[in-house]
Coordinates of all heavy atoms in Angstrom, one line a residue:
V578 N 0.9 -1.2 0.0 CA 0.0 0.0 0.0 C 0.9 1.2 0.0 O 1.7 1.4 0.9 CB -0.9 0.0 1.2 CG1 -1.7 1.3 1.2 CG2 -1.8 -1.2 1.2
L579 N 0.7 2.1 -1.0 CA 1.5 3.3 -1.1 C 0.6 4.5 -0.7 O -0.4 4.7 -1.4 CB 2.0 3.5 -2.5 CG 2.7 4.8 -2.8 CD1 4.0 4.9 -2.0 CD2 3.0 4.9 -4.3
T580 N 0.8 5.1 0.4 CA 0.0 6.3 0.8 C 1.0 7.5 0.8 O 2.1 7.4 1.3 CB -0.7 6.1 2.1 OG1 0.3 5.8 3.1 CG2 -1.6 4.9 2.0
I581 N 0.5 8.6 0.4 CA 1.2 9.8 0.4 C 0.5 10.8 1.3 O -0.6 11.2 1.1 CB 1.4 10.4 -1.0 CG1 2.2 9.4 -1.9 CG2 2.2 11.7 -0.9 CD1 2.3 9.8 -3.3
Q582 N 1.2 11.3 2.4 CA 0.6 12.3 3.3 C 1.2 13.6 2.9 O 2.3 13.9 3.3 CB 0.9 11.9 4.7 CG 0.4 10.6 5.2 CD -1.1 10.5 5.2 OE1 -1.7 11.5 5.5 NE2 -1.7 9.4 5.0
F583 N 0.4 14.4 2.2 CA 0.9 15.7 1.7 C 1.1 16.7 2.8 O 1.9 17.5 2.8 CB 0.0 16.3 0.6 CG 0.0 15.5 -0.7 CD1 -1.0 14.7 -1.1 CD2 1.1 15.6 -1.5 CE1 -1.0 14.0 -2.3 CE2 1.2 14.9 -2.7 CZ 0.2 14.1 -3.1
K584 N 0.2 16.7 3.8 CA 0.3 17.7 4.9 C 1.5 17.5 5.7 O 2.0 18.5 6.3 CB -1.0 17.7 5.7 CG -2.2 18.1 4.9 CD -3.4 18.2 5.8 CE -4.6 18.6 4.9 NZ -5.8 18.8 5.7
E585 N 2.0 16.3 5.9 CA 3.2 16.1 6.7 C 4.4 16.6 5.9 O 5.5 16.9 6.5 CB 3.4 14.6 7.0 CG 2.3 14.1 7.9 CD 2.4 12.6 8.2 OE1 3.3 12.0 7.6 OE2 1.5 12.1 8.9
R586 N 4.3 16.7 4.6 CA 5.5 17.1 3.8 C 5.6 18.6 3.6 O 6.5 19.1 3.0 CB 5.4 16.4 2.4 CG 5.6 15.0 2.5 CD 5.6 14.4 1.1 NE 5.8 13.0 1.1 CZ 6.0 12.3 0.0 NH1 6.1 12.9 -1.2 NH2 6.2 11.0 0.1
L587 N 4.6 19.3 4.1 CA 4.6 20.8 3.8 C 5.8 21.5 4.4 O 6.5 22.3 3.7 CB 3.3 21.4 4.4 CG 3.0 22.8 3.9 CD1 2.8 22.8 2.4 CD2 1.7 23.3 4.6
W588 N 6.2 21.2 5.6 CA 7.4 21.8 6.3 C 8.6 21.3 5.6 O 9.6 22.1 5.4 CB 7.4 21.5 7.7 CG 6.5 22.3 8.5 CD1 5.3 21.9 9.1 CD2 6.5 23.7 8.8 NE1 4.6 22.9 9.7 CE2 5.4 24.0 9.5 CE3 7.4 24.7 8.5 CZ2 5.1 25.3 10.0 CZ3 7.2 26.0 9.0 CH2 6.0 26.3 9.7
F589 N 8.7 20.1 5.1 CA 9.8 19.5 4.4 C 10.0 20.3 3.1 O 11.1 20.7 2.8 CB 9.6 18.0 4.2 CG 10.7 17.4 3.4 CD1 12.0 17.2 4.0 CD2 10.6 17.0 2.1 CE1 13.0 16.6 3.3 CE2 11.6 16.4 1.4 CZ 12.8 16.2 2.0
V590 N 8.9 20.5 2.4 CA 9.0 21.2 1.1 C 9.5 22.7 1.3 O 10.3 23.2 0.6 CB 7.6 21.2 0.4 CG1 7.6 22.2 -0.8 CG2 7.3 19.8 -0.1
L591 N 9.0 23.3 2.4 CA 9.4 24.7 2.7 C 10.8 24.7 3.0 O 11.6 25.6 2.5 CB 8.5 25.2 3.9 CG 8.9 26.6 4.3 CD1 8.5 27.6 3.2 CD2 8.2 27.0 5.6
M592 N 11.3 23.8 3.8 CA 12.8 23.9 4.2 C 13.7 23.6 3.0 O 14.7 24.2 2.9 CB 13.0 22.9 5.4 CG 12.4 23.2 6.7 SD 13.1 24.8 7.2 CE 11.5 25.7 7.6
I593 N 13.3 22.6 2.2 CA 14.1 22.3 1.0 C 14.1 23.5 0.1 O 15.2 23.9 -0.5 CB 13.6 21.0 0.3 CG1 13.8 19.8 1.2 CG2 14.2 20.9 -1.1 CD1 15.2 19.5 1.4
C594 N 13.0 24.1 -0.2 CA 12.9 25.3 -1.0 C 13.8 26.5 -0.5 O 14.5 27.1 -1.2 CB 11.5 25.8 -1.2 SG 10.5 24.7 -2.2
L595 N 13.7 26.7 0.8 CA 14.4 27.7 1.5 C 15.9 27.5 1.3 O 16.7 28.4 1.0 CB 14.0 27.9 2.9 CG 14.6 29.1 3.7 CD1 14.2 30.4 3.0 CD2 14.1 29.0 5.1
L596 N 16.3 26.2 1.5 CA 17.8 25.9 1.4 C 18.3 26.1 0.0 O 19.3 26.7 -0.2 CB 18.0 24.4 1.9 CG 19.4 23.9 1.7 CD1 20.3 24.5 2.7 CD2 19.4 22.4 1.8
L597 N 17.5 25.6 -1.0 CA 18.0 25.7 -2.4 C 18.0 27.1 -2.8 O 18.9 27.6 -3.6 CB 17.1 24.8 -3.3 CG 17.3 23.3 -3.1 CD1 16.3 22.6 -4.0 CD2 18.7 22.9 -3.3
C598 N 17.0 27.9 -2.5 CA 16.9 29.3 -2.8 C 18.1 30.1 -2.2 O 18.7 31.0 -2.8 CB 15.6 30.0 -2.5 SG 14.2 29.4 -3.5
S599 N 18.4 29.8 -0.9 CA 19.5 30.4 -0.3 C 20.8 30.1 -0.9 O 21.7 30.9 -1.1 CB 19.5 30.1 1.2 OG 18.3 30.5 1.8
L600 N 21.0 28.8 -1.3 CA 22.2 28.4 -2.0 C 22.3 29.1 -3.3 O 23.4 29.5 -3.7 CB 22.2 26.9 -2.2 CG 22.5 26.1 -0.9 CD1 22.4 24.6 -1.2 CD2 23.9 26.4 -0.4
G601 N 21.2 29.3 -4.0 CA 21.2 30.0 -5.3 C 21.6 31.4 -5.1 O 22.3 32.0 -6.0
M602 N 21.1 32.1 -4.1 CA 21.5 33.5 -3.9 C 23.0 33.6 -3.5 O 23.7 34.5 -3.9 CB 20.6 34.1 -2.8 CG 19.2 34.4 -3.2 SD 19.1 35.6 -4.6 CE 19.5 37.1 -3.8
A603 N 23.5 32.7 -2.7 CA 24.9 32.7 -2.3 C 25.8 32.4 -3.6 O 26.8 33.1 -3.7 CB 25.2 31.6 -1.3
W604 N 25.3 31.5 -4.4 CA 26.1 31.3 -5.7 C 26.1 32.5 -6.6 O 27.1 32.9 -7.2 CB 25.5 30.1 -6.4 CG 26.3 29.6 -7.6 CD1 27.6 29.7 -7.7 CD2 25.8 28.9 -8.7 NE1 28.0 29.1 -8.9 CE2 26.9 28.6 -9.5 CE3 24.5 28.5 -9.1 CZ2 26.8 28.0 -10.7 CZ3 24.4 27.9 -10.3 CH2 25.5 27.6 -11.1
R605 N 24.9 33.2 -6.6 CA 24.9 34.4 -7.4 C 25.8 35.5 -6.9 O 26.5 36.2 -7.6 CB 23.4 34.9 -7.4 CG 23.3 36.2 -8.2 CD 21.9 36.7 -8.2 NE 21.9 38.1 -8.8 CZ 21.0 39.0 -8.6 NH1 20.0 38.7 -7.8 NH2 21.0 40.1 -9.1
L606 N 25.8 35.6 -5.6 CA 26.7 36.6 -4.9 C 28.2 36.3 -5.2 O 29.0 37.2 -5.5 CB 26.5 36.6 -3.4 CG 27.3 37.6 -2.6 CD1 27.0 39.0 -3.0 CD2 27.1 37.3 -1.1
W607 N 28.5 35.0 -5.2 CA 29.9 34.6 -5.5 C 30.2 34.8 -6.9 O 31.4 35.3 -7.2 CB 30.0 33.1 -5.1 CG 31.4 32.6 -5.4 CD1 32.5 32.9 -4.7 CD2 31.8 31.6 -6.3 NE1 33.6 32.2 -5.2 CE2 33.1 31.4 -6.2 CE3 31.0 30.9 -7.3 CZ2 33.8 30.5 -7.0 CZ3 31.7 30.0 -8.1 CH2 33.1 29.8 -7.9
L608 N 29.3 34.5 -7.9 CA 29.6 34.7 -9.3 C 29.7 36.2 -9.7 O 30.5 36.5 -10.5 CB 28.6 34.0 -10.1 CG 28.6 32.5 -10.1 CD1 27.4 31.9 -10.9 CD2 29.9 32.0 -10.7
E609 N 28.9 37.0 -9.1 CA 28.9 38.4 -9.5 C 29.7 39.3 -8.6 O 29.6 40.5 -8.7 CB 27.4 38.9 -9.5 CG 26.5 38.3 -10.5 CD 25.2 38.8 -10.5 OE1 24.9 39.7 -9.7 OE2 24.3 38.4 -11.3
W610 N 30.5 38.7 -7.7 CA 31.3 39.5 -6.8 C 32.2 40.5 -7.6 O 33.0 40.0 -8.5 CB 32.1 38.7 -5.9 CG 32.7 39.5 -4.8 CD1 34.0 39.9 -4.7 CD2 32.1 40.0 -3.6 NE1 34.2 40.6 -3.5 CE2 33.0 40.7 -2.9 CE3 30.7 39.9 -3.2 CZ2 32.7 41.3 -1.7 CZ3 30.4 40.5 -2.0 CH2 31.4 41.2 -1.3
G611 N 32.2 41.8 -7.3 CA 33.0 42.7 -8.0 C 32.5 43.3 -9.2 O 33.1 44.3 -9.8
E612 N 31.3 42.9 -9.7 CA 30.7 43.4 -10.9 C 29.8 44.6 -10.5 O 29.3 44.7 -9.4 CB 29.9 42.4 -11.6 CG 30.8 41.3 -12.2 CD 29.9 40.3 -13.0 OE1 28.8 40.6 -13.4 OE2 30.5 39.2 -13.3
F613 N 29.6 45.5 -11.5 CA 28.8 46.7 -11.3 C 27.4 46.3 -11.0 O 26.7 47.0 -10.3 CB 29.0 47.6 -12.5 CG 28.2 48.9 -12.3 CD1 28.6 49.9 -11.4 CD2 27.0 49.1 -12.9 CE1 27.9 51.0 -11.2 CE2 26.3 50.3 -12.8 CZ 26.7 51.2 -11.9
S614 N 26.9 45.3 -11.7 CA 25.4 44.9 -11.5 C 25.1 44.5 -10.1 O 24.0 44.5 -9.7 CB 25.1 43.9 -12.5 OG 25.8 42.7 -12.3
L615 N 26.1 44.0 -9.4 CA 25.9 43.5 -8.0 C 25.7 44.7 -7.1 O 25.0 44.6 -6.1 CB 27.1 42.7 -7.5 CG 27.1 42.1 -6.2 CD1 26.0 41.0 -6.2 CD2 28.4 41.5 -5.8
V616 N 26.2 45.9 -7.4 CA 26.1 47.0 -6.5 C 24.6 47.4 -6.3 O 24.2 47.8 -5.2 CB 26.9 48.2 -7.1 CG1 26.7 49.5 -6.2 CG2 28.3 47.9 -7.1
E617 N 23.8 47.3 -7.4 CA 22.4 47.7 -7.2 C 21.6 46.7 -6.4 O 20.5 47.1 -6.0 CB 21.8 47.9 -8.6 CG 21.7 46.7 -9.5 CD 21.3 47.0 -10.9 OE1 21.4 48.1 -11.3 OE2 20.8 46.0 -11.5
H618 N 22.1 45.5 -6.3 CA 21.4 44.5 -5.5 C 22.1 44.3 -4.1 O 21.7 43.3 -3.5 CB 21.3 43.2 -6.3 CG 20.5 43.3 -7.5 ND1 19.2 43.6 -7.6 CD2 20.9 43.3 -8.8 CE1 18.8 43.7 -8.8 NE2 19.8 43.5 -9.6
M619 N 23.0 45.1 -3.7 CA 23.7 44.8 -2.5 C 22.9 45.4 -1.3 O 23.3 46.3 -0.6 CB 25.1 45.5 -2.5 CG 26.2 44.7 -3.2 SD 26.5 43.1 -2.4 CE 27.4 43.6 -1.0
N620 N 21.8 44.7 -1.1 CA 20.9 45.1 0.0 C 20.6 43.8 0.7 O 20.1 42.8 0.2 CB 19.6 45.7 -0.6 CG 18.7 46.3 0.4 OD1 18.9 46.2 1.6 ND2 17.7 47.0 -0.1
P621 N 20.8 43.8 2.1 CA 20.5 42.6 2.8 C 19.0 42.2 2.7 O 18.8 41.0 2.8 CB 20.9 43.0 4.3 CG 21.8 44.1 4.1 CD 21.4 44.9 2.9
T622 N 18.1 43.1 2.5 CA 16.7 42.8 2.4 C 16.5 41.9 1.1 O 15.7 41.0 1.2 CB 15.9 44.0 2.3 OG1 16.2 44.9 3.4 CG2 14.4 43.7 2.3
V623 N 17.2 42.2 0.1 CA 17.1 41.4 -1.2 C 17.7 40.0 -0.9 O 17.0 39.0 -1.3 CB 17.9 42.1 -2.3 CG1 17.9 41.2 -3.6 CG2 17.2 43.4 -2.7
Y624 N 18.8 39.9 -0.3 CA 19.5 38.6 -0.1 C 18.7 37.7 0.9 O 18.8 36.5 0.9 CB 20.9 38.7 0.3 CG 21.8 39.1 -0.9 CD1 22.4 40.4 -0.9 CD2 21.9 38.3 -2.0 CE1 23.1 40.8 -2.0 CE2 22.7 38.7 -3.0 CZ 23.3 39.9 -3.0 OH 24.0 40.3 -4.1
V625 N 18.0 38.3 1.8 CA 17.3 37.5 2.8 C 15.8 37.4 2.4 O 15.2 36.3 2.5 CB 17.3 38.2 4.2 CG1 16.4 37.5 5.2 CG2 18.7 38.2 4.7
G626 N 15.2 38.4 1.8 CA 13.8 38.3 1.5 C 13.5 37.5 0.3 O 12.5 36.8 0.2
Y627 N 14.4 37.6 -0.7 CA 14.1 36.8 -2.0 C 14.0 35.3 -1.7 O 13.0 34.7 -2.2 CB 15.2 37.1 -3.0 CG 15.1 36.4 -4.3 CD1 14.2 36.8 -5.2 CD2 15.8 35.2 -4.6 CE1 14.0 36.2 -6.4 CE2 15.6 34.6 -5.7 CZ 14.8 35.0 -6.7 OH 14.6 34.3 -7.9
P628 N 14.9 34.7 -1.0 CA 14.7 33.2 -0.8 C 13.5 32.9 0.0 O 12.8 31.9 -0.2 CB 16.0 32.8 -0.1 CG 17.0 33.8 -0.4 CD 16.2 35.1 -0.6
I629 N 13.1 33.8 1.0 CA 12.0 33.5 1.8 C 10.7 33.6 1.0 O 9.8 32.8 1.1 CB 11.9 34.5 3.0 CG1 13.1 34.1 4.0 CG2 10.6 34.4 3.7 CD1 13.3 35.1 5.1
I630 N 10.6 34.7 0.2 CA 9.4 34.9 -0.6 C 9.2 33.8 -1.7 O 8.1 33.2 -1.8 CB 9.4 36.3 -1.3 CG1 9.2 37.3 -0.2 CG2 8.3 36.4 -2.3 CD1 9.4 38.7 -0.6
I631 N 10.3 33.4 -2.3 CA 10.2 32.4 -3.4 C 9.9 31.0 -2.7 O 9.0 30.3 -3.3 CB 11.5 32.3 -4.1 CG1 11.8 33.6 -4.9 CG2 11.6 31.1 -5.0 CD1 10.7 33.9 -6.0
S632 N 10.4 30.7 -1.6 CA 10.1 29.5 -0.9 C 8.6 29.5 -0.5 O 8.0 28.4 -0.6 CB 11.0 29.3 0.4 OG 12.3 29.3 0.0
L633 N 8.1 30.6 0.0 CA 6.7 30.6 0.4 C 5.8 30.5 -0.8 O 4.7 29.8 -0.8 CB 6.4 31.9 1.1 CG 6.9 32.0 2.5 CD1 6.7 33.4 3.1 CD2 6.4 31.0 3.4
I634 N 6.1 31.0 -2.0 CA 5.3 30.9 -3.2 C 5.3 29.5 -3.7 O 4.3 28.9 -4.0 CB 5.9 31.9 -4.3 CG1 5.6 33.3 -3.9 CG2 5.3 31.5 -5.6 CD1 6.2 34.3 -4.8
I635 N 6.5 28.8 -3.7 CA 6.6 27.4 -4.1 C 5.8 26.5 -3.2 O 5.1 25.6 -3.6 CB 8.1 27.0 -4.3 CG1 8.7 27.7 -5.4 CG2 8.2 25.5 -4.5 CD1 10.2 27.5 -5.5
T636 N 6.0 26.7 -1.9 CA 5.2 25.9 -0.9 C 3.7 26.2 -1.0 O 2.9 25.2 -0.9 CB 5.7 26.3 0.5 OG1 7.1 26.1 0.6 CG2 5.1 25.3 1.5
G637 N 3.3 27.4 -1.3 CA 1.9 27.6 -1.5 C 1.3 26.9 -2.7 O 0.3 26.3 -2.7
F638 N 2.1 26.9 -3.9 CA 1.7 26.2 -5.0 C 1.6 24.7 -4.7 O 0.7 24.0 -5.1 CB 2.6 26.4 -6.2 CG 2.4 27.7 -6.9 CD1 3.4 28.5 -7.3 CD2 1.1 28.0 -7.3 CE1 3.2 29.7 -7.9 CE2 0.9 29.2 -8.0 CZ 1.9 30.0 -8.3
Y639 N 2.6 24.2 -4.0 CA 2.6 22.8 -3.6 C 1.4 22.4 -2.8 O 0.8 21.4 -3.0 CB 3.9 22.4 -2.8 CG 3.9 21.0 -2.3 CD1 4.2 20.0 -3.1 CD2 3.6 20.7 -1.0 CE1 4.2 18.7 -2.6 CE2 3.6 19.5 -0.5 CZ 3.9 18.4 -1.3 OH 3.9 17.1 -0.9
S640 N 1.1 23.3 -1.8 CA -0.1 23.0 -1.0 C -1.4 23.0 -1.7 O -2.3 22.2 -1.5 CB -0.1 24.1 0.1 OG -1.3 24.0 0.9
I641 N -1.5 24.0 -2.7 CA -2.8 24.0 -3.5 C -2.9 22.8 -4.4 O -3.9 22.2 -4.5 CB -2.8 25.3 -4.3 CG1 -3.0 26.5 -3.4 CG2 -3.9 25.3 -5.4 CD1 -2.7 27.9 -4.0
I642 N -1.8 22.5 -5.1 CA -1.8 21.3 -6.0 C -2.0 20.0 -5.2 O -2.8 19.2 -5.7 CB -0.5 21.3 -6.8 CG1 -0.5 22.5 -7.8 CG2 -0.4 20.0 -7.5 CD1 0.8 22.6 -8.5
S643 N -1.4 19.9 -4.1 CA -1.6 18.6 -3.3 C -3.0 18.5 -2.7 O -3.5 17.4 -2.6 CB -0.5 18.5 -2.2 OG -0.7 19.5 -1.2
S644 N -3.6 19.7 -2.4 CA -5.0 19.6 -1.9 C -6.0 19.3 -3.0 O -7.0 18.6 -2.8 CB -5.3 20.9 -1.2 OG -5.4 21.9 -2.1
V645 N -5.7 19.8 -4.2 CA -6.6 19.5 -5.3 C -6.5 18.1 -5.8 O -7.4 17.3 -6.0 CB -6.4 20.5 -6.5 CG1 -7.1 20.1 -7.7 CG2 -6.8 21.9 -6.0
Y646 N -5.2 17.7 -6.1 CA -5.0 16.3 -6.6 C -4.9 15.2 -5.6 O -5.0 14.1 -5.9 CB -3.8 16.3 -7.5 CG -4.0 17.1 -8.8 CD1 -3.3 18.3 -9.0 CD2 -4.8 16.7 -9.8 CE1 -3.5 19.0 -10.1 CE2 -5.1 17.4 -10.9 CZ -4.4 18.6 -11.1 OH -4.6 19.3 -12.2
G647 N -4.6 15.6 -4.3 CA -4.5 14.6 -3.3 C -5.8 14.0 -2.9 O -5.9 12.8 -2.5
K648 N -6.9 14.7 -3.1 CA -8.2 14.2 -2.7 C -8.8 13.3 -3.8 O -9.6 12.4 -3.6 CB -9.2 15.4 -2.4 CG -8.8 16.1 -1.2 CD -9.7 17.3 -1.0 CE -9.3 18.1 0.3 NZ -10.2 19.2 0.4
K649 N -8.4 13.6 -5.1 CA -8.9 12.9 -6.2 C -8.3 11.5 -6.5 O -8.9 10.7 -7.0 CB -8.8 13.7 -7.5 CG -9.7 15.0 -7.5 CD -9.6 15.7 -8.8 CE -10.5 16.9 -8.7 NZ -10.4 17.7 -10.0
T650 N -7.0 11.4 -6.1 CA -6.3 10.1 -6.4 C -6.1 9.4 -5.1 O -5.8 9.9 -4.0 CB -5.0 10.4 -7.1 OG1 -4.2 11.2 -6.2 CG2 -5.2 11.1 -8.4
K651 N -6.2 8.1 -5.2 CA -5.9 7.2 -4.0 C -5.0 6.1 -4.5 O -5.3 5.4 -5.5 CB -7.2 6.6 -3.4 CG -8.0 7.7 -2.8 CD -9.2 7.0 -2.1 CE -10.0 8.1 -1.5 NZ -10.8 7.7 -0.4
F652 N -3.9 6.0 -3.9 CA -2.9 4.9 -4.2 C -3.1 3.7 -3.3 O -2.5 3.6 -2.3 CB -1.5 5.5 -4.1 CG -1.2 6.7 -5.0 CD1 -1.2 8.0 -4.5 CD2 -1.0 6.5 -6.3 CE1 -0.9 9.0 -5.3 CE2 -0.8 7.6 -7.2 CZ -0.7 8.8 -6.6
E653 N -3.9 2.9 -3.7 CA -4.2 1.7 -3.0 C -4.0 0.4 -3.8 O -4.4 0.4 -5.0 CB -5.6 1.7 -2.4 CG -5.9 2.8 -1.4 CD -7.3 2.8 -0.9 OE1 -8.1 1.9 -1.2 OE2 -7.6 3.7 -0.1
S654 N -3.4 -0.6 -3.3 CA -3.2 -1.8 -4.0 C -4.3 -2.8 -3.7 O -4.7 -2.9 -2.7 CB -1.8 -2.4 -3.7 OG -0.8 -1.5 -4.0

């Protein structure tokens, strides 16, 4: 029997998204270090807020999709 509990995975999805978005922002900072385009984005609010907002948006989409499709499908053998 394969059962998927979407509500238990919500925090897991949020933490994975936050981790990957934060790694992406750190990689961007490392790649653009010393360039002029980095100066306009050198704001701590951008580097902290962007991963949080993107993670919340992705988690919201996951929650909506899992609530719509989670009720319609049942994985039972």
Side-chain angles (χ1 to χ4, degrees):
V578 176
L579 175 65
T580 59
I581 299 175
Q582 300 294 329
F583 289 109
K584 293 184 180 186
E585 294 176 3
R586 292 186 180 188
L587 194 61
W588 285 105
F589 179 72
V590 169
L591 179 66
M592 290 300 129
I593 292 297
C594 289
L595 189 60
L596 176 72
L597 291 177
C598 288
S599 298
L600 286 174
M602 286 301 286
W604 189 27
R605 178 182 174 203
L606 179 64
W607 179 66
L608 288 175
E609 293 183 0
W610 191 257
E612 293 185 15
F613 181 73
S614 63
L615 183 66
V616 174
E617 63 188 24
H618 298 293
M619 278 299 281
N620 189 350
T622 307
V623 173
Y624 285 114
V625 174
Y627 179 79
I629 291 172
I630 291 171
I631 294 301
S632 298
L633 289 174
I634 290 171
I635 292 172
T636 306
F638 281 133
Y639 175 79
S640 176
I641 292 168
I642 290 172
S643 66
S644 68
V645 169
Y646 290 111
K648 293 178 182 177
K649 291 184 180 179
T650 60
K651 293 188 180 201
F652 299 103
E653 296 179 3
S654 298

